[in-house]
Amino acid sequence: MGCGGSTQGSDNQWMIKLGKKGVICYLFREFYKLGWCTGSGGAISIREDENTVWINPSGVMKELVEEHDIILMNLKGEIVVPSKTTGLRRSECTPNFLQVYGLREGVGSVIHTHSMNAVMVAQLFGTEFQCIDLQLIKGMIGHKNTDWCVVPIIENSEYDTGLTENIKRAIMDYPRSQAVLVRNHGVFVWGPTWEKAKIQLECYEYIFKVVLRMHKYNLEIPKLPSCDKNVKCWILDEDKKSEDIRKDQQHKLAEWVTESTLKQYNVTLEILNSENMEEILKEKGLILKEELILASNIDNYDEIRNKLTIERKLESQEIYYIYSGTGYFDIKNDGGKWMRIHVGKGELITLMEGVVIRFSPDIMNCITFKKF
Ligand code: ZN
């Protein structure tokens, strides 16, 4: 047994006795006692095989869920084995869970809770929860206790289905995180087995609690320089290969670039409300010049990639609206170094005449722009 974060594997005797549906019922009762699944909130899913997952029904008191209530779904979202209790529908969380299974390799279980600590801790941070130097960070897959534990925070929506797009982006943007916090709502946590998902959930809960206590006692909460920034921009250090700041943990070493520095270089970044996007663009008097798609599966990928990634000095103003996906705009500073801006859906970047730029795809290698 290690010092935190150990698991005994999924095939222990106890697990065989209980079965996957039994485990879901057991976890709900335990989480209910902890206040993580009160008011019929929360959801749990465990993978059955390559194509199917068990998931709890919607709108039932979670501490009373029984094995015959639980639904088997395939990853396309179709019901394979319905609930044996009439009138029970699949959990509202289903699209969010299926997305985690689809986007992350080797996920065997996803858990969603409404714990008080998850709700409260998100109040202390902007777009990322951050913490370092706690023993239980070791409980997170791929982390040492001295690593930064960074969890993306997304905004809540009226229905759970409204979270799907933002959860997708958070999963893609934070490949090291095994969780997503939803502000004023709760947390999603996953792992390769239900045991590992449970252990990670408990480690996150503990860490959230410690950070809340630190705040209560006015202790300084360590934060990365990237914390609470709308603009994610840093000096690209080609020697340290800090290409993707979140992927290779260069947070500590990064030289961050502020919004006002970017302004000095005639670069501005705005986050638009994507629901009224067409209207906003019209109000700004922008005229569409070109629509560009860069994705590994398009026919003329090399041609588009070469066109975008070549270094060039702008002869006139160029404005880009990111319609979907993510990527980097690199801006050359006076010292000849690249200032790397991570852009994503709903962002509008304005580059004035004379700016030296190039575009670089990120790990997702998928972006659609509108150029004005
Ligand atoms: Zn929920």
Side-chain angles (χ1 to χ4, degrees):
M1 189 79 179
C3 195
S6 295
T7 170
Q8 296 167 327
S10 62
D11 56 352
N12 60 54
Q13 288 304 310
W14 186 73
M15 164 71 190
I16 292 165
K17 209 167 75 188
L18 216 53
K20 288 175 185 171
K21 287 187 281 179
V23 167
I24 291 178
C25 301
Y26 157 75
L27 291 179
F28 271 133
R29 281 191 277 277
E30 293 301 310
F31 295 167
Y32 178 78
K33 283 184 234 159
L34 292 163
W36 298 353
C37 287
T38 44
S40 87
I44 299 175
S45 129
I46 299 178
R47 190 190 275 274
E48 173 60 25
D49 55 33
E50 206 184 314
N51 301 312
T52 58
V53 295
W54 294 104
I55 193 159
N56 62 271
S58 159
V60 290
M61 287 186 273
K62 295 300 182 295
E63 71 281 20
L64 299 180
V65 169
E66 292 191 53
E67 285 192 34
H68 56 78
D69 296 331
I70 296 167
I71 299 164
L72 188 67
M73 318 262 322
N74 66 24
L75 296 183
K76 285 184 241 158
E78 297 156 345
I79 291 175
V80 179
V81 178
S83 167
K84 298 209 169 45
T85 312
T86 39
L88 287 188
R89 289 171 296 109
R90 62 178 205 178
S91 164
E92 250 210 74
C93 262
T94 305
N96 299 324
F97 278 13
L98 296 181
Q99 189 151 250
V100 180
Y101 286 111
L103 290 170
R104 280 290 172 88
E105 231 170 88
V107 172
S109 177
V110 189
I111 303 173
H112 168 51
T113 75
H114 290 176
S115 95
M116 185 80 81
N117 292 328
V119 170
M120 288 303 291
V121 87
Q123 309 290 329
L124 303 184
F125 293 85
T127 56
E128 287 176 356
F129 165 85
Q130 304 174 341
C131 178
I132 193 167
D133 276 339
L134 281 175
Q135 179 64 9
L136 282 196
I137 294 176
K138 228 172 124 175
M140 316 304 174
I141 292 167
H143 287 70
K144 299 189 292 287
N145 54 328
T146 50
D147 281 340
W148 280 98
C149 167
V150 179
V151 181
I153 303 173
I154 63 165
E155 300 306 319
N156 200 15
S157 116
E158 193 179 347
Y159 300 105
D160 279 11
T161 45
L163 301 172
T164 311
E165 184 63 32
N166 284 336
I167 289 181
K168 182 179 176 184
R169 185 167 171 195
I171 291 170
M172 289 172 166
D173 273 359
Y174 293 81
R176 281 173 62 80
S177 179
Q178 312 291 320
V180 175
L181 278 161
V182 185
R183 204 183 313 281
N184 303 329
H185 182 155
V187 67
F188 287 81
V189 178
W190 55 86
T193 59
W194 70 264
E195 293 97 323
K196 195 68 194 168
K198 175 179 179 282
I199 287 169
Q200 290 196 108
L201 173 66
E202 287 166 358
C203 292
Y204 279 118
E205 277 294 330
Y206 173 88
I207 288 165
F208 295 160
K209 206 165 158 182
V210 170
V211 169
L212 284 167
R213 290 273 171 96
M214 287 168 82
H215 180 71
K216 187 179 169 188
Y217 294 110
N218 290 322
L219 299 169
E220 199 190 333
I221 300 168
K223 284 188 180 179
L224 288 161
S226 65
C227 195
D228 298 347
K229 278 194 174 69
N230 280 330
V231 176
K232 301 268 183 209
C233 180
W234 62 94
I235 301 286
L236 182 62
D237 188 336
E238 320 236 14
D239 300 334
K240 283 184 199 137
K241 292 194 170 59
S242 54
E243 271 203 348
D244 191 320
I245 216 86
R246 284 168 272 203
K247 193 174 124 199
D248 59 13
Q249 279 242 323
Q250 293 292 331
H251 276 97
K252 260 175 159 174
L253 308 167
E255 198 182 322
W256 292 89
V257 177
T258 62
E259 232 169 318
S260 60
T261 303
L262 283 176
K263 274 204 184 107
Q264 285 168 22
Y265 282 94
N266 292 321
V267 177
T268 51
L269 195 72
E270 285 174 73
I271 299 166
L272 303 184
N273 177 354
S274 54
E275 276 168 36
N276 304 319
M277 197 271 296
E278 296 295 341
E279 236 168 77
I280 294 170
L281 295 178
K282 215 195 257 172
E283 267 171 35
K284 286 180 177 285
L286 299 175
I287 297 153
L288 185 67
K289 285 188 191 142
E290 205 178 356
E291 209 169 300
L292 289 157
I293 299 170
L294 184 69
S296 50
N297 58 354
I298 58 168
D299 291 341
N300 51 348
Y301 174 77
D302 288 335
E303 188 193 321
I304 303 273
R305 190 191 159 108
N306 291 343
K307 180 179 156 183
L308 289 170
T309 54
I310 198 156
E311 178 182 333
R312 64 200 174 92
K313 190 173 179 177
L314 301 189
E315 285 165 6
S316 60
Q317 175 185 271
E318 290 185 10
I319 300 175
Y320 295 87
Y321 177 73
I322 319 305
Y323 193 71
S324 68
T326 51
Y328 305 118
F329 273 98
D330 294 336
I331 315 293
K332 202 166 240 183
N333 72 11
D334 294 339
K337 288 201 164 182
W338 291 107
M339 299 185 288
R340 169 152 284 190
I341 311 171
H342 201 209
V343 294
K345 188 187 169 192
E347 289 170 14
L348 186 81
I349 182 162
T350 305
L351 310 148
M352 304 300 275
E353 183 190 335
V355 176
V356 179
I357 72 154
R358 72 176 183 196
F359 178 81
S360 303
D362 66 8
I363 47 166
M364 295 318 297
N365 205 7
C366 183
I367 192 161
T368 309
F369 320 96
K370 283 173 190 280
K371 183 180 172 185
F372 301 97

PDB file of all heavy atoms in Angstrom, residues 39-59:
ATOM      1  N   GLY A  39     -30.512  15.489  -2.752  1.00  0.00           N
ATOM      2  CA  GLY A  39     -31.535  16.089  -3.618  1.00  0.00           C
ATOM      3  C   GLY A  39     -31.624  15.422  -4.972  1.00  0.00           C
ATOM      4  O   GLY A  39     -31.892  16.084  -5.967  1.00  0.00           O
ATOM      5  N   SER A  40     -31.357  14.138  -5.034  1.00  0.00           N
ATOM      6  CA  SER A  40     -31.383  13.311  -6.255  1.00  0.00           C
ATOM      7  C   SER A  40     -30.320  13.733  -7.282  1.00  0.00           C
ATOM      8  O   SER A  40     -30.360  13.321  -8.435  1.00  0.00           O
ATOM      9  CB  SER A  40     -32.785  13.254  -6.890  1.00  0.00           C
ATOM     10  OG  SER A  40     -32.971  14.345  -7.770  1.00  0.00           O
ATOM     11  N   GLY A  41     -29.354  14.557  -6.831  1.00  0.00           N
ATOM     12  CA  GLY A  41     -28.298  15.013  -7.751  1.00  0.00           C
ATOM     13  C   GLY A  41     -27.186  13.994  -7.935  1.00  0.00           C
ATOM     14  O   GLY A  41     -27.089  13.026  -7.191  1.00  0.00           O
ATOM     15  N   GLY A  42     -26.360  14.228  -8.943  1.00  0.00           N
ATOM     16  CA  GLY A  42     -25.190  13.386  -9.188  1.00  0.00           C
ATOM     17  C   GLY A  42     -25.481  12.252 -10.152  1.00  0.00           C
ATOM     18  O   GLY A  42     -26.642  11.963 -10.457  1.00  0.00           O
ATOM     19  N   ALA A  43     -24.420  11.629 -10.635  1.00  0.00           N
ATOM     20  CA  ALA A  43     -24.566  10.518 -11.579  1.00  0.00           C
ATOM     21  C   ALA A  43     -23.302   9.665 -11.544  1.00  0.00           C
ATOM     22  O   ALA A  43     -22.211  10.171 -11.258  1.00  0.00           O
ATOM     23  CB  ALA A  43     -24.797  11.042 -12.993  1.00  0.00           C
ATOM     24  N   ILE A  44     -23.466   8.362 -11.831  1.00  0.00           N
ATOM     25  CA  ILE A  44     -22.316   7.445 -11.860  1.00  0.00           C
ATOM     26  C   ILE A  44     -22.451   6.509 -13.047  1.00  0.00           C
ATOM     27  O   ILE A  44     -23.552   6.034 -13.347  1.00  0.00           O
ATOM     28  CB  ILE A  44     -22.233   6.592 -10.565  1.00  0.00           C
ATOM     29  CG1 ILE A  44     -22.067   7.499  -9.335  1.00  0.00           C
ATOM     30  CG2 ILE A  44     -21.078   5.586 -10.637  1.00  0.00           C
ATOM     31  CD1 ILE A  44     -22.103   6.759  -8.008  1.00  0.00           C
ATOM     32  N   SER A  45     -21.345   6.273 -13.716  1.00  0.00           N
ATOM     33  CA  SER A  45     -21.371   5.326 -14.830  1.00  0.00           C
ATOM     34  C   SER A  45     -20.118   4.465 -14.787  1.00  0.00           C
ATOM     35  O   SER A  45     -19.041   4.925 -14.388  1.00  0.00           O
ATOM     36  CB  SER A  45     -21.502   6.118 -16.129  1.00  0.00           C
ATOM     37  OG  SER A  45     -20.545   5.747 -17.037  1.00  0.00           O
ATOM     38  N   ILE A  46     -20.261   3.190 -15.148  1.00  0.00           N
ATOM     39  CA  ILE A  46     -19.132   2.248 -15.198  1.00  0.00           C
ATOM     40  C   ILE A  46     -19.184   1.523 -16.534  1.00  0.00           C
ATOM     41  O   ILE A  46     -20.251   1.081 -16.983  1.00  0.00           O
ATOM     42  CB  ILE A  46     -19.188   1.216 -14.043  1.00  0.00           C
ATOM     43  CG1 ILE A  46     -19.121   1.934 -12.677  1.00  0.00           C
ATOM     44  CG2 ILE A  46     -18.052   0.198 -14.166  1.00  0.00           C
ATOM     45  CD1 ILE A  46     -19.220   1.011 -11.469  1.00  0.00           C
ATOM     46  N   ARG A  47     -18.037   1.403 -17.165  1.00  0.00           N
ATOM     47  CA  ARG A  47     -17.984   0.729 -18.465  1.00  0.00           C
ATOM     48  C   ARG A  47     -18.212  -0.781 -18.307  1.00  0.00           C
ATOM     49  O   ARG A  47     -17.642  -1.400 -17.411  1.00  0.00           O
ATOM     50  CB  ARG A  47     -16.615   0.986 -19.101  1.00  0.00           C
ATOM     51  CG  ARG A  47     -16.511   0.558 -20.544  1.00  0.00           C
ATOM     52  CD  ARG A  47     -15.067   0.638 -20.994  1.00  0.00           C
ATOM     53  NE  ARG A  47     -14.682   1.975 -21.437  1.00  0.00           N
ATOM     54  CZ  ARG A  47     -14.851   2.438 -22.677  1.00  0.00           C
ATOM     55  NH1 ARG A  47     -15.417   1.691 -23.599  1.00  0.00           N
ATOM     56  NH2 ARG A  47     -14.439   3.645 -23.002  1.00  0.00           N
ATOM     57  N   GLU A  48     -19.042  -1.335 -19.208  1.00  0.00           N
ATOM     58  CA  GLU A  48     -19.261  -2.775 -19.196  1.00  0.00           C
ATOM     59  C   GLU A  48     -18.252  -3.452 -20.130  1.00  0.00           C
ATOM     60  O   GLU A  48     -17.560  -4.369 -19.758  1.00  0.00           O
ATOM     61  CB  GLU A  48     -20.703  -3.087 -19.636  1.00  0.00           C
ATOM     62  CG  GLU A  48     -21.023  -4.559 -19.841  1.00  0.00           C
ATOM     63  CD  GLU A  48     -20.824  -5.410 -18.578  1.00  0.00           C
ATOM     64  OE1 GLU A  48     -20.887  -4.880 -17.469  1.00  0.00           O
ATOM     65  OE2 GLU A  48     -20.569  -6.641 -18.740  1.00  0.00           O
ATOM     66  N   ASP A  49     -18.198  -2.957 -21.390  1.00  0.00           N
ATOM     67  CA  ASP A  49     -17.220  -3.479 -22.345  1.00  0.00           C
ATOM     68  C   ASP A  49     -16.836  -2.344 -23.290  1.00  0.00           C
ATOM     69  O   ASP A  49     -17.135  -1.186 -23.021  1.00  0.00           O
ATOM     70  CB  ASP A  49     -17.783  -4.692 -23.103  1.00  0.00           C
ATOM     71  CG  ASP A  49     -19.108  -4.370 -23.775  1.00  0.00           C
ATOM     72  OD1 ASP A  49     -19.301  -3.212 -24.215  1.00  0.00           O
ATOM     73  OD2 ASP A  49     -19.969  -5.275 -23.863  1.00  0.00           O
ATOM     74  N   GLU A  50     -16.205  -2.701 -24.406  1.00  0.00           N
ATOM     75  CA  GLU A  50     -15.691  -1.683 -25.322  1.00  0.00           C
ATOM     76  C   GLU A  50     -16.781  -0.696 -25.769  1.00  0.00           C
ATOM     77  O   GLU A  50     -16.541   0.494 -25.926  1.00  0.00           O
ATOM     78  CB  GLU A  50     -15.104  -2.389 -26.541  1.00  0.00           C
ATOM     79  CG  GLU A  50     -14.027  -1.562 -27.228  1.00  0.00           C
ATOM     80  CD  GLU A  50     -13.538  -2.262 -28.475  1.00  0.00           C
ATOM     81  OE1 GLU A  50     -13.281  -3.487 -28.406  1.00  0.00           O
ATOM     82  OE2 GLU A  50     -13.452  -1.591 -29.499  1.00  0.00           O
ATOM     83  N   ASN A  51     -17.999  -1.206 -25.971  1.00  0.00           N
ATOM     84  CA  ASN A  51     -19.048  -0.370 -26.570  1.00  0.00           C
ATOM     85  C   ASN A  51     -20.164   0.067 -25.632  1.00  0.00           C
ATOM     86  O   ASN A  51     -21.007   0.865 -26.020  1.00  0.00           O
ATOM     87  CB  ASN A  51     -19.700  -1.115 -27.750  1.00  0.00           C
ATOM     88  CG  ASN A  51     -18.673  -1.457 -28.797  1.00  0.00           C
ATOM     89  OD1 ASN A  51     -17.880  -0.593 -29.186  1.00  0.00           O
ATOM     90  ND2 ASN A  51     -18.645  -2.710 -29.226  1.00  0.00           N
ATOM     91  N   THR A  52     -20.215  -0.486 -24.420  1.00  0.00           N
ATOM     92  CA  THR A  52     -21.362  -0.159 -23.558  1.00  0.00           C
ATOM     93  C   THR A  52     -20.949   0.272 -22.153  1.00  0.00           C
ATOM     94  O   THR A  52     -19.892  -0.118 -21.652  1.00  0.00           O
ATOM     95  CB  THR A  52     -22.328  -1.367 -23.428  1.00  0.00           C
ATOM     96  OG1 THR A  52     -21.584  -2.472 -22.908  1.00  0.00           O
ATOM     97  CG2 THR A  52     -22.968  -1.744 -24.745  1.00  0.00           C
ATOM     98  N   VAL A  53     -21.846   1.086 -21.546  1.00  0.00           N
ATOM     99  CA  VAL A  53     -21.607   1.562 -20.177  1.00  0.00           C
ATOM    100  C   VAL A  53     -22.906   1.482 -19.370  1.00  0.00           C
ATOM    101  O   VAL A  53     -23.990   1.689 -19.913  1.00  0.00           O
ATOM    102  CB  VAL A  53     -21.086   3.030 -20.146  1.00  0.00           C
ATOM    103  CG1 VAL A  53     -19.724   3.144 -20.784  1.00  0.00           C
ATOM    104  CG2 VAL A  53     -22.047   4.009 -20.791  1.00  0.00           C
ATOM    105  N   TRP A  54     -22.774   1.193 -18.080  1.00  0.00           N
ATOM    106  CA  TRP A  54     -23.912   1.243 -17.161  1.00  0.00           C
ATOM    107  C   TRP A  54     -24.055   2.670 -16.653  1.00  0.00           C
ATOM    108  O   TRP A  54     -23.055   3.318 -16.352  1.00  0.00           O
ATOM    109  CB  TRP A  54     -23.703   0.307 -15.966  1.00  0.00           C
ATOM    110  CG  TRP A  54     -23.683  -1.142 -16.326  1.00  0.00           C
ATOM    111  CD1 TRP A  54     -22.588  -1.944 -16.413  1.00  0.00           C
ATOM    112  CD2 TRP A  54     -24.807  -1.962 -16.663  1.00  0.00           C
ATOM    113  NE1 TRP A  54     -22.959  -3.215 -16.769  1.00  0.00           N
ATOM    114  CE2 TRP A  54     -24.325  -3.255 -16.929  1.00  0.00           C
ATOM    115  CE3 TRP A  54     -26.192  -1.738 -16.764  1.00  0.00           C
ATOM    116  CZ2 TRP A  54     -25.146  -4.317 -17.297  1.00  0.00           C
ATOM    117  CZ3 TRP A  54     -27.019  -2.789 -17.119  1.00  0.00           C
ATOM    118  CH2 TRP A  54     -26.506  -4.056 -17.379  1.00  0.00           C
ATOM    119  N   ILE A  55     -25.307   3.138 -16.554  1.00  0.00           N
ATOM    120  CA  ILE A  55     -25.519   4.512 -16.079  1.00  0.00           C
ATOM    121  C   ILE A  55     -26.816   4.568 -15.273  1.00  0.00           C
ATOM    122  O   ILE A  55     -27.771   3.841 -15.574  1.00  0.00           O
ATOM    123  CB  ILE A  55     -25.495   5.502 -17.277  1.00  0.00           C
ATOM    124  CG1 ILE A  55     -25.400   6.939 -16.808  1.00  0.00           C
ATOM    125  CG2 ILE A  55     -26.665   5.306 -18.215  1.00  0.00           C
ATOM    126  CD1 ILE A  55     -24.867   7.883 -17.873  1.00  0.00           C
ATOM    127  N   ASN A  56     -26.811   5.422 -14.246  1.00  0.00           N
ATOM    128  CA  ASN A  56     -28.001   5.481 -13.377  1.00  0.00           C
ATOM    129  C   ASN A  56     -29.159   6.201 -14.082  1.00  0.00           C
ATOM    130  O   ASN A  56     -28.925   6.971 -15.003  1.00  0.00           O
ATOM    131  CB  ASN A  56     -27.646   6.214 -12.079  1.00  0.00           C
ATOM    132  CG  ASN A  56     -27.231   7.649 -12.355  1.00  0.00           C
ATOM    133  OD1 ASN A  56     -26.061   7.914 -12.590  1.00  0.00           O
ATOM    134  ND2 ASN A  56     -28.177   8.572 -12.362  1.00  0.00           N
ATOM    135  N   PRO A  57     -30.391   5.983 -13.628  1.00  0.00           N
ATOM    136  CA  PRO A  57     -31.515   6.710 -14.206  1.00  0.00           C
ATOM    137  C   PRO A  57     -31.604   8.140 -13.663  1.00  0.00           C
ATOM    138  O   PRO A  57     -30.975   8.458 -12.658  1.00  0.00           O
ATOM    139  CB  PRO A  57     -32.725   5.886 -13.771  1.00  0.00           C
ATOM    140  CG  PRO A  57     -32.289   5.246 -12.498  1.00  0.00           C
ATOM    141  CD  PRO A  57     -30.812   5.029 -12.602  1.00  0.00           C
ATOM    142  N   SER A  58     -32.403   8.955 -14.327  1.00  0.00           N
ATOM    143  CA  SER A  58     -32.565  10.356 -13.941  1.00  0.00           C
ATOM    144  C   SER A  58     -33.683  10.501 -12.899  1.00  0.00           C
ATOM    145  O   SER A  58     -34.609   9.684 -12.846  1.00  0.00           O
ATOM    146  CB  SER A  58     -32.915  11.126 -15.219  1.00  0.00           C
ATOM    147  OG  SER A  58     -33.542  12.327 -14.924  1.00  0.00           O
ATOM    148  N   GLY A  59     -33.590  11.532 -12.083  1.00  0.00           N
ATOM    149  CA  GLY A  59     -34.693  11.947 -11.213  1.00  0.00           C
ATOM    150  C   GLY A  59     -35.080  10.987 -10.099  1.00  0.00           C
ATOM    151  O   GLY A  59     -36.222  11.023  -9.636  1.00  0.00           O
TER     152      GLY A  59
END
